[in-house]
Amino acid sequence: MMTVHEVSELTGVSIRTLRYYDKIGLLHPSGRTEAGYRLYGGRDLQRLQRILLFRAVEFPLREIKAIMEDPDFDRTAVLEQQIELLTLEKEHIENLISLARGIKLLGENYMNFTAFDRKKLDDYAREAKAAWGNTAAHKEFEEKKKGRSEEKEQALGAELMAIFAELGRIRHSDPAAEEAQRLVKKLQDFIGEHYYTCTDTILLGLGKMYAAGGEFTENIDRCCGEGTAVFVCRAIEAKCAAKGK
């Protein structure tokens, strides 16, 4: 087993990032010391390696998490697509290097704008990401999104943020209290109606992501008051804990 410091030194991933991955449920360490410090085993490092490959081809963390938690996740097929994407990226960089060398040798009159063409790479990336986004939640999201105008998408986003604002106004209260629980249920129902089926498990995952300290936390707190994201997370945890009793 390796400590978080040892994993950071081995992989080049910062300790802060490893802690963030743990918070959002993307990479939980399989062990802890008696003092509560994270310990990573071989399977954890294998999962981290897969995560980093996804990051290398510019996949958002929330989509990486959804894909890797999909029971139909085909590691071999995904790895083949990642290899192809990285190979295309390598060719693109080599073309740019050749262009830069040509300019150095022949001067600014040497021109080759084809070196900047990313169409092949971008097209393949789009197809691969569509294939990887094959989870049930993603399919449902795409189906519900189909045909919605940009104005409708913006309106839904505003409605969703309005629910967070309602939670923000009571963020100094008990997250297990009736009003907070009513609003958490409203949030869960809204996501289920407009985006994808929001089970308690998915809701818990969203709560962790809201409060994990990244872009979600910043956006929610900026709009609804500092501490709102953490309050929402605690209210969600209270809801799911009460349901599990």
Side-chain angles (χ1 to χ4, degrees):
M1 302 288 280
M2 300 178 69
T3 66
V4 68
H5 293 275
E6 289 170 335
V7 172
S8 179
E9 289 181 4
L10 174 68
T11 63
V13 179
S14 71
I15 293 171
R16 181 180 179 183
T17 297
L18 290 169
R19 288 172 177 162
Y20 181 66
Y21 287 176
D22 185 13
K23 281 184 180 179
I24 65 174
L26 182 60
L27 177 67
H28 290 309
S30 56
R32 297 265 179 176
T33 66
E34 290 184 3
Y37 294 108
R38 296 169 177 82
L39 291 173
Y40 295 83
R43 289 182 180 232
D44 302 326
L45 293 177
Q46 289 173 0
R47 183 176 176 89
L48 177 58
Q49 184 169 256
R50 291 196 295 273
I51 292 167
L52 294 179
L53 274 172
F54 274 116
R55 294 298 284 158
V57 291
E58 301 179 352
F59 236 66
L61 291 177
R62 64 182 179 275
E63 294 186 32
I64 296 172
K65 187 172 183 290
I67 291 166
M68 293 181 68
E69 290 177 356
D70 184 354
D72 297 325
F73 173 47
D74 186 340
R75 291 185 178 89
T76 301
V78 167
L79 187 59
E80 288 174 355
Q81 290 176 319
Q82 288 171 331
I83 290 169
E84 179 63 22
L85 268 174
L86 292 168
T87 300
L88 290 171
E89 188 69 54
K90 175 173 173 282
E91 290 175 359
H92 177 65
I93 292 171
E94 287 174 344
N95 288 336
L96 290 173
I97 292 171
S98 296
L99 172 61
R101 284 176 175 161
I103 294 171
K104 181 181 178 182
L105 289 171
L106 304 173
E108 293 294 335
N109 288 328
Y110 176 80
M111 296 184 189
N112 179 14
F113 287 97
T114 60
F116 298 102
D117 186 3
R118 290 181 56 93
K119 186 177 185 305
K120 182 179 179 182
L121 174 59
D122 291 342
D123 286 349
Y124 188 88
R126 195 160 38 248
E127 292 173 7
K129 288 179 180 182
W132 293 341
N134 202 29
T135 63
H138 183 83
K139 288 178 180 176
E140 186 178 359
F141 172 77
E142 289 298 328
E143 188 63 31
K144 288 187 175 182
K145 184 180 177 181
K146 193 183 298 180
R148 283 203 300 238
S149 66
E150 185 176 344
E151 290 77 13
K152 178 62 175 177
E153 286 294 327
Q154 291 175 351
L156 287 175
E159 287 181 53
L160 181 61
M161 195 54 70
I163 299 173
F164 282 117
E166 289 185 80
L167 284 156
R169 284 192 283 273
I170 62 168
R171 65 187 183 279
H172 300 300
S173 65
D174 179 2
E178 183 178 350
E179 178 65 4
Q181 291 304 299
R182 180 186 71 79
L183 289 172
V184 166
K185 180 66 166 56
K186 183 177 180 180
L187 175 65
Q188 186 175 24
D189 290 346
F190 184 87
I191 293 170
E193 180 181 356
H194 298 290
Y195 297 106
Y196 45 78
T197 301
C198 189
T199 64
D200 284 353
T201 300
I202 289 176
L203 188 65
L204 273 172
L206 289 172
K208 289 179 181 178
M209 196 172 291
Y210 296 152
E215 184 179 342
F216 282 105
T217 305
E218 293 172 4
N219 288 341
I220 292 170
D221 285 1
R222 188 185 305 114
C223 172
C224 309
E226 187 174 352
T228 299
V230 170
F231 177 77
V232 173
C233 179
R234 289 175 179 167
I236 288 172
E237 289 172 345
K239 174 189 181 300
C240 295
K243 194 170 181 180
K245 289 182 179 178

PDB file of all heavy atoms in Angstrom, residues 141-169:
ATOM      1  N   PHE A 141     -30.306  11.280 -20.850  1.00  0.00           N
ATOM      2  CA  PHE A 141     -30.033  12.715 -20.932  1.00  0.00           C
ATOM      3  C   PHE A 141     -30.110  13.193 -22.381  1.00  0.00           C
ATOM      4  O   PHE A 141     -30.735  14.208 -22.684  1.00  0.00           O
ATOM      5  CB  PHE A 141     -28.652  13.010 -20.342  1.00  0.00           C
ATOM      6  CG  PHE A 141     -28.196  14.426 -20.561  1.00  0.00           C
ATOM      7  CD1 PHE A 141     -28.712  15.455 -19.792  1.00  0.00           C
ATOM      8  CD2 PHE A 141     -27.252  14.729 -21.536  1.00  0.00           C
ATOM      9  CE1 PHE A 141     -28.300  16.768 -19.992  1.00  0.00           C
ATOM     10  CE2 PHE A 141     -26.838  16.037 -21.732  1.00  0.00           C
ATOM     11  CZ  PHE A 141     -27.365  17.055 -20.964  1.00  0.00           C
ATOM     12  N   GLU A 142     -29.461  12.459 -23.290  1.00  0.00           N
ATOM     13  CA  GLU A 142     -29.455  12.843 -24.697  1.00  0.00           C
ATOM     14  C   GLU A 142     -30.860  12.801 -25.281  1.00  0.00           C
ATOM     15  O   GLU A 142     -31.233  13.638 -26.102  1.00  0.00           O
ATOM     16  CB  GLU A 142     -28.518  11.923 -25.486  1.00  0.00           C
ATOM     17  CG  GLU A 142     -27.047  12.155 -25.205  1.00  0.00           C
ATOM     18  CD  GLU A 142     -26.589  13.549 -25.594  1.00  0.00           C
ATOM     19  OE1 GLU A 142     -27.133  14.101 -26.571  1.00  0.00           O
ATOM     20  OE2 GLU A 142     -25.702  14.090 -24.907  1.00  0.00           O
ATOM     21  N   GLU A 143     -31.657  11.800 -24.866  1.00  0.00           N
ATOM     22  CA  GLU A 143     -33.015  11.664 -25.378  1.00  0.00           C
ATOM     23  C   GLU A 143     -33.879  12.841 -24.926  1.00  0.00           C
ATOM     24  O   GLU A 143     -34.649  13.405 -25.713  1.00  0.00           O
ATOM     25  CB  GLU A 143     -33.623  10.343 -24.891  1.00  0.00           C
ATOM     26  CG  GLU A 143     -34.968  10.013 -25.513  1.00  0.00           C
ATOM     27  CD  GLU A 143     -34.897   9.826 -27.023  1.00  0.00           C
ATOM     28  OE1 GLU A 143     -33.852   9.384 -27.546  1.00  0.00           O
ATOM     29  OE2 GLU A 143     -35.907  10.149 -27.692  1.00  0.00           O
ATOM     30  N   LYS A 144     -33.745  13.224 -23.648  1.00  0.00           N
ATOM     31  CA  LYS A 144     -34.548  14.328 -23.122  1.00  0.00           C
ATOM     32  C   LYS A 144     -34.089  15.665 -23.691  1.00  0.00           C
ATOM     33  O   LYS A 144     -34.890  16.590 -23.849  1.00  0.00           O
ATOM     34  CB  LYS A 144     -34.478  14.336 -21.593  1.00  0.00           C
ATOM     35  CG  LYS A 144     -35.252  13.185 -20.951  1.00  0.00           C
ATOM     36  CD  LYS A 144     -35.312  13.303 -19.442  1.00  0.00           C
ATOM     37  CE  LYS A 144     -36.196  12.192 -18.873  1.00  0.00           C
ATOM     38  NZ  LYS A 144     -36.340  12.271 -17.418  1.00  0.00           N
ATOM     39  N   LYS A 145     -32.807  15.748 -23.983  1.00  0.00           N
ATOM     40  CA  LYS A 145     -32.250  16.993 -24.513  1.00  0.00           C
ATOM     41  C   LYS A 145     -32.630  17.200 -25.976  1.00  0.00           C
ATOM     42  O   LYS A 145     -32.698  18.334 -26.460  1.00  0.00           O
ATOM     43  CB  LYS A 145     -30.728  16.958 -24.377  1.00  0.00           C
ATOM     44  CG  LYS A 145     -30.022  18.222 -24.801  1.00  0.00           C
ATOM     45  CD  LYS A 145     -28.518  18.080 -24.618  1.00  0.00           C
ATOM     46  CE  LYS A 145     -27.798  19.321 -25.109  1.00  0.00           C
ATOM     47  NZ  LYS A 145     -26.319  19.207 -24.962  1.00  0.00           N
ATOM     48  N   LYS A 146     -32.912  16.101 -26.689  1.00  0.00           N
ATOM     49  CA  LYS A 146     -33.179  16.148 -28.123  1.00  0.00           C
ATOM     50  C   LYS A 146     -34.335  17.109 -28.437  1.00  0.00           C
ATOM     51  O   LYS A 146     -35.417  17.003 -27.851  1.00  0.00           O
ATOM     52  CB  LYS A 146     -33.523  14.742 -28.629  1.00  0.00           C
ATOM     53  CG  LYS A 146     -33.529  14.596 -30.144  1.00  0.00           C
ATOM     54  CD  LYS A 146     -33.957  13.188 -30.531  1.00  0.00           C
ATOM     55  CE  LYS A 146     -32.995  12.138 -29.994  1.00  0.00           C
ATOM     56  NZ  LYS A 146     -33.411  10.766 -30.383  1.00  0.00           N
ATOM     57  N   GLY A 147     -34.082  18.010 -29.343  1.00  0.00           N
ATOM     58  CA  GLY A 147     -35.141  18.915 -29.780  1.00  0.00           C
ATOM     59  C   GLY A 147     -35.310  20.155 -28.917  1.00  0.00           C
ATOM     60  O   GLY A 147     -36.084  21.050 -29.271  1.00  0.00           O
ATOM     61  N   ARG A 148     -34.606  20.224 -27.779  1.00  0.00           N
ATOM     62  CA  ARG A 148     -34.718  21.408 -26.930  1.00  0.00           C
ATOM     63  C   ARG A 148     -33.883  22.550 -27.502  1.00  0.00           C
ATOM     64  O   ARG A 148     -32.746  22.336 -27.894  1.00  0.00           O
ATOM     65  CB  ARG A 148     -34.262  21.107 -25.497  1.00  0.00           C
ATOM     66  CG  ARG A 148     -35.293  20.331 -24.699  1.00  0.00           C
ATOM     67  CD  ARG A 148     -35.151  20.500 -23.193  1.00  0.00           C
ATOM     68  NE  ARG A 148     -33.900  20.084 -22.627  1.00  0.00           N
ATOM     69  CZ  ARG A 148     -33.772  19.160 -21.667  1.00  0.00           C
ATOM     70  NH1 ARG A 148     -34.840  18.511 -21.218  1.00  0.00           N
ATOM     71  NH2 ARG A 148     -32.593  18.869 -21.167  1.00  0.00           N
ATOM     72  N   SER A 149     -34.437  23.717 -27.544  1.00  0.00           N
ATOM     73  CA  SER A 149     -33.708  24.876 -28.053  1.00  0.00           C
ATOM     74  C   SER A 149     -32.688  25.352 -27.031  1.00  0.00           C
ATOM     75  O   SER A 149     -32.746  24.981 -25.850  1.00  0.00           O
ATOM     76  CB  SER A 149     -34.677  26.013 -28.369  1.00  0.00           C
ATOM     77  OG  SER A 149     -35.266  26.484 -27.158  1.00  0.00           O
ATOM     78  N   GLU A 150     -31.761  26.190 -27.488  1.00  0.00           N
ATOM     79  CA  GLU A 150     -30.764  26.753 -26.574  1.00  0.00           C
ATOM     80  C   GLU A 150     -31.448  27.603 -25.505  1.00  0.00           C
ATOM     81  O   GLU A 150     -31.031  27.604 -24.340  1.00  0.00           O
ATOM     82  CB  GLU A 150     -29.772  27.605 -27.366  1.00  0.00           C
ATOM     83  CG  GLU A 150     -28.634  28.146 -26.518  1.00  0.00           C
ATOM     84  CD  GLU A 150     -27.607  28.911 -27.341  1.00  0.00           C
ATOM     85  OE1 GLU A 150     -27.610  28.770 -28.579  1.00  0.00           O
ATOM     86  OE2 GLU A 150     -26.817  29.654 -26.737  1.00  0.00           O
ATOM     87  N   GLU A 151     -32.522  28.312 -25.892  1.00  0.00           N
ATOM     88  CA  GLU A 151     -33.257  29.133 -24.932  1.00  0.00           C
ATOM     89  C   GLU A 151     -33.887  28.266 -23.845  1.00  0.00           C
ATOM     90  O   GLU A 151     -33.881  28.623 -22.659  1.00  0.00           O
ATOM     91  CB  GLU A 151     -34.363  29.931 -25.642  1.00  0.00           C
ATOM     92  CG  GLU A 151     -33.852  31.043 -26.555  1.00  0.00           C
ATOM     93  CD  GLU A 151     -33.309  30.513 -27.879  1.00  0.00           C
ATOM     94  OE1 GLU A 151     -33.535  29.329 -28.201  1.00  0.00           O
ATOM     95  OE2 GLU A 151     -32.656  31.305 -28.596  1.00  0.00           O
ATOM     96  N   LYS A 152     -34.414  27.093 -24.241  1.00  0.00           N
ATOM     97  CA  LYS A 152     -35.017  26.175 -23.274  1.00  0.00           C
ATOM     98  C   LYS A 152     -33.955  25.620 -22.331  1.00  0.00           C
ATOM     99  O   LYS A 152     -34.185  25.513 -21.115  1.00  0.00           O
ATOM    100  CB  LYS A 152     -35.712  25.025 -24.021  1.00  0.00           C
ATOM    101  CG  LYS A 152     -36.345  23.980 -23.110  1.00  0.00           C
ATOM    102  CD  LYS A 152     -37.434  24.558 -22.227  1.00  0.00           C
ATOM    103  CE  LYS A 152     -38.118  23.451 -21.424  1.00  0.00           C
ATOM    104  NZ  LYS A 152     -39.152  23.999 -20.498  1.00  0.00           N
ATOM    105  N   GLU A 153     -32.774  25.290 -22.879  1.00  0.00           N
ATOM    106  CA  GLU A 153     -31.683  24.792 -22.044  1.00  0.00           C
ATOM    107  C   GLU A 153     -31.280  25.839 -21.006  1.00  0.00           C
ATOM    108  O   GLU A 153     -31.048  25.528 -19.836  1.00  0.00           O
ATOM    109  CB  GLU A 153     -30.470  24.439 -22.914  1.00  0.00           C
ATOM    110  CG  GLU A 153     -30.612  23.166 -23.719  1.00  0.00           C
ATOM    111  CD  GLU A 153     -30.688  21.919 -22.841  1.00  0.00           C
ATOM    112  OE1 GLU A 153     -30.043  21.897 -21.771  1.00  0.00           O
ATOM    113  OE2 GLU A 153     -31.392  20.978 -23.216  1.00  0.00           O
ATOM    114  N   GLN A 154     -31.196  27.092 -21.439  1.00  0.00           N
ATOM    115  CA  GLN A 154     -30.829  28.172 -20.529  1.00  0.00           C
ATOM    116  C   GLN A 154     -31.899  28.376 -19.466  1.00  0.00           C
ATOM    117  O   GLN A 154     -31.588  28.626 -18.298  1.00  0.00           O
ATOM    118  CB  GLN A 154     -30.592  29.459 -21.311  1.00  0.00           C
ATOM    119  CG  GLN A 154     -29.345  29.418 -22.195  1.00  0.00           C
ATOM    120  CD  GLN A 154     -29.189  30.659 -23.046  1.00  0.00           C
ATOM    121  OE1 GLN A 154     -30.094  31.497 -23.122  1.00  0.00           O
ATOM    122  NE2 GLN A 154     -28.044  30.783 -23.703  1.00  0.00           N
ATOM    123  N   ALA A 155     -33.160  28.241 -19.869  1.00  0.00           N
ATOM    124  CA  ALA A 155     -34.262  28.401 -18.922  1.00  0.00           C
ATOM    125  C   ALA A 155     -34.230  27.299 -17.861  1.00  0.00           C
ATOM    126  O   ALA A 155     -34.448  27.564 -16.669  1.00  0.00           O
ATOM    127  CB  ALA A 155     -35.600  28.384 -19.665  1.00  0.00           C
ATOM    128  N   LEU A 156     -33.946  26.064 -18.307  1.00  0.00           N
ATOM    129  CA  LEU A 156     -33.848  24.952 -17.352  1.00  0.00           C
ATOM    130  C   LEU A 156     -32.683  25.168 -16.391  1.00  0.00           C
ATOM    131  O   LEU A 156     -32.793  24.902 -15.188  1.00  0.00           O
ATOM    132  CB  LEU A 156     -33.672  23.625 -18.102  1.00  0.00           C
ATOM    133  CG  LEU A 156     -34.910  23.083 -18.819  1.00  0.00           C
ATOM    134  CD1 LEU A 156     -34.544  21.836 -19.625  1.00  0.00           C
ATOM    135  CD2 LEU A 156     -36.010  22.754 -17.815  1.00  0.00           C
ATOM    136  N   GLY A 157     -31.560  25.652 -16.935  1.00  0.00           N
ATOM    137  CA  GLY A 157     -30.414  25.941 -16.085  1.00  0.00           C
ATOM    138  C   GLY A 157     -30.744  26.990 -15.031  1.00  0.00           C
ATOM    139  O   GLY A 157     -30.325  26.870 -13.867  1.00  0.00           O
ATOM    140  N   ALA A 158     -31.522  27.998 -15.434  1.00  0.00           N
ATOM    141  CA  ALA A 158     -31.930  29.050 -14.495  1.00  0.00           C
ATOM    142  C   ALA A 158     -32.870  28.491 -13.428  1.00  0.00           C
ATOM    143  O   ALA A 158     -32.771  28.854 -12.245  1.00  0.00           O
ATOM    144  CB  ALA A 158     -32.604  30.187 -15.258  1.00  0.00           C
ATOM    145  N   GLU A 159     -33.775  27.598 -13.837  1.00  0.00           N
ATOM    146  CA  GLU A 159     -34.692  26.971 -12.875  1.00  0.00           C
ATOM    147  C   GLU A 159     -33.923  26.122 -11.867  1.00  0.00           C
ATOM    148  O   GLU A 159     -34.235  26.126 -10.667  1.00  0.00           O
ATOM    149  CB  GLU A 159     -35.721  26.112 -13.611  1.00  0.00           C
ATOM    150  CG  GLU A 159     -36.776  26.893 -14.364  1.00  0.00           C
ATOM    151  CD  GLU A 159     -37.777  25.966 -15.047  1.00  0.00           C
ATOM    152  OE1 GLU A 159     -38.340  25.104 -14.352  1.00  0.00           O
ATOM    153  OE2 GLU A 159     -37.961  26.089 -16.269  1.00  0.00           O
ATOM    154  N   LEU A 160     -32.940  25.385 -12.366  1.00  0.00           N
ATOM    155  CA  LEU A 160     -32.127  24.553 -11.480  1.00  0.00           C
ATOM    156  C   LEU A 160     -31.371  25.423 -10.473  1.00  0.00           C
ATOM    157  O   LEU A 160     -31.339  25.126  -9.278  1.00  0.00           O
ATOM    158  CB  LEU A 160     -31.134  23.730 -12.311  1.00  0.00           C
ATOM    159  CG  LEU A 160     -30.206  22.781 -11.541  1.00  0.00           C
ATOM    160  CD1 LEU A 160     -31.000  21.733 -10.778  1.00  0.00           C
ATOM    161  CD2 LEU A 160     -29.224  22.114 -12.504  1.00  0.00           C
ATOM    162  N   MET A 161     -30.789  26.511 -10.959  1.00  0.00           N
ATOM    163  CA  MET A 161     -30.048  27.403 -10.070  1.00  0.00           C
ATOM    164  C   MET A 161     -30.989  28.071  -9.073  1.00  0.00           C
ATOM    165  O   MET A 161     -30.592  28.383  -7.949  1.00  0.00           O
ATOM    166  CB  MET A 161     -29.284  28.439 -10.890  1.00  0.00           C
ATOM    167  CG  MET A 161     -28.214  29.165 -10.100  1.00  0.00           C
ATOM    168  SD  MET A 161     -27.030  28.057  -9.272  1.00  0.00           S
ATOM    169  CE  MET A 161     -26.141  27.403 -10.693  1.00  0.00           C
ATOM    170  N   ALA A 162     -32.245  28.271  -9.459  1.00  0.00           N
ATOM    171  CA  ALA A 162     -33.220  28.866  -8.538  1.00  0.00           C
ATOM    172  C   ALA A 162     -33.481  27.941  -7.349  1.00  0.00           C
ATOM    173  O   ALA A 162     -33.699  28.406  -6.220  1.00  0.00           O
ATOM    174  CB  ALA A 162     -34.520  29.163  -9.280  1.00  0.00           C
ATOM    175  N   ILE A 163     -33.451  26.632  -7.607  1.00  0.00           N
ATOM    176  CA  ILE A 163     -33.619  25.667  -6.503  1.00  0.00           C
ATOM    177  C   ILE A 163     -32.422  25.762  -5.557  1.00  0.00           C
ATOM    178  O   ILE A 163     -32.574  25.754  -4.326  1.00  0.00           O
ATOM    179  CB  ILE A 163     -33.785  24.236  -7.041  1.00  0.00           C
ATOM    180  CG1 ILE A 163     -35.024  24.130  -7.923  1.00  0.00           C
ATOM    181  CG2 ILE A 163     -33.868  23.235  -5.886  1.00  0.00           C
ATOM    182  CD1 ILE A 163     -35.189  22.797  -8.634  1.00  0.00           C
ATOM    183  N   PHE A 164     -31.215  25.860  -6.136  1.00  0.00           N
ATOM    184  CA  PHE A 164     -30.023  26.037  -5.298  1.00  0.00           C
ATOM    185  C   PHE A 164     -30.134  27.332  -4.492  1.00  0.00           C
ATOM    186  O   PHE A 164     -29.712  27.393  -3.338  1.00  0.00           O
ATOM    187  CB  PHE A 164     -28.761  26.061  -6.158  1.00  0.00           C
ATOM    188  CG  PHE A 164     -28.300  24.706  -6.614  1.00  0.00           C
ATOM    189  CD1 PHE A 164     -28.269  24.382  -7.962  1.00  0.00           C
ATOM    190  CD2 PHE A 164     -27.889  23.746  -5.699  1.00  0.00           C
ATOM    191  CE1 PHE A 164     -27.847  23.137  -8.389  1.00  0.00           C
ATOM    192  CE2 PHE A 164     -27.463  22.494  -6.113  1.00  0.00           C
ATOM    193  CZ  PHE A 164     -27.444  22.187  -7.456  1.00  0.00           C
ATOM    194  N   ALA A 165     -30.693  28.381  -5.107  1.00  0.00           N
ATOM    195  CA  ALA A 165     -30.844  29.661  -4.408  1.00  0.00           C
ATOM    196  C   ALA A 165     -31.794  29.523  -3.222  1.00  0.00           C
ATOM    197  O   ALA A 165     -31.559  30.114  -2.154  1.00  0.00           O
ATOM    198  CB  ALA A 165     -31.346  30.732  -5.380  1.00  0.00           C
ATOM    199  N   GLU A 166     -32.862  28.741  -3.396  1.00  0.00           N
ATOM    200  CA  GLU A 166     -33.788  28.488  -2.281  1.00  0.00           C
ATOM    201  C   GLU A 166     -33.057  27.781  -1.139  1.00  0.00           C
ATOM    202  O   GLU A 166     -33.255  28.123   0.041  1.00  0.00           O
ATOM    203  CB  GLU A 166     -34.963  27.638  -2.760  1.00  0.00           C
ATOM    204  CG  GLU A 166     -35.944  28.346  -3.662  1.00  0.00           C
ATOM    205  CD  GLU A 166     -37.136  27.462  -3.999  1.00  0.00           C
ATOM    206  OE1 GLU A 166     -38.040  27.360  -3.147  1.00  0.00           O
ATOM    207  OE2 GLU A 166     -37.148  26.855  -5.093  1.00  0.00           O
ATOM    208  N   LEU A 167     -32.229  26.810  -1.496  1.00  0.00           N
ATOM    209  CA  LEU A 167     -31.441  26.104  -0.478  1.00  0.00           C
ATOM    210  C   LEU A 167     -30.423  27.047   0.149  1.00  0.00           C
ATOM    211  O   LEU A 167     -30.143  26.970   1.352  1.00  0.00           O
ATOM    212  CB  LEU A 167     -30.753  24.893  -1.108  1.00  0.00           C
ATOM    213  CG  LEU A 167     -31.666  23.695  -1.364  1.00  0.00           C
ATOM    214  CD1 LEU A 167     -31.110  22.805  -2.474  1.00  0.00           C
ATOM    215  CD2 LEU A 167     -31.841  22.886  -0.085  1.00  0.00           C
ATOM    216  N   GLY A 168     -29.877  27.954  -0.663  1.00  0.00           N
ATOM    217  CA  GLY A 168     -28.906  28.907  -0.147  1.00  0.00           C
ATOM    218  C   GLY A 168     -29.488  29.825   0.907  1.00  0.00           C
ATOM    219  O   GLY A 168     -28.792  30.210   1.860  1.00  0.00           O
ATOM    220  N   ARG A 169     -30.772  30.168   0.765  1.00  0.00           N
ATOM    221  CA  ARG A 169     -31.395  31.083   1.714  1.00  0.00           C
ATOM    222  C   ARG A 169     -31.575  30.445   3.092  1.00  0.00           C
ATOM    223  O   ARG A 169     -31.733  31.155   4.094  1.00  0.00           O
ATOM    224  CB  ARG A 169     -32.744  31.563   1.162  1.00  0.00           C
ATOM    225  CG  ARG A 169     -32.593  32.606   0.061  1.00  0.00           C
ATOM    226  CD  ARG A 169     -33.910  33.279  -0.265  1.00  0.00           C
ATOM    227  NE  ARG A 169     -34.775  32.432  -1.085  1.00  0.00           N
ATOM    228  CZ  ARG A 169     -34.735  32.396  -2.415  1.00  0.00           C
ATOM    229  NH1 ARG A 169     -33.859  33.143  -3.066  1.00  0.00           N
ATOM    230  NH2 ARG A 169     -35.546  31.612  -3.086  1.00  0.00           N
TER     231      ARG A 169
END
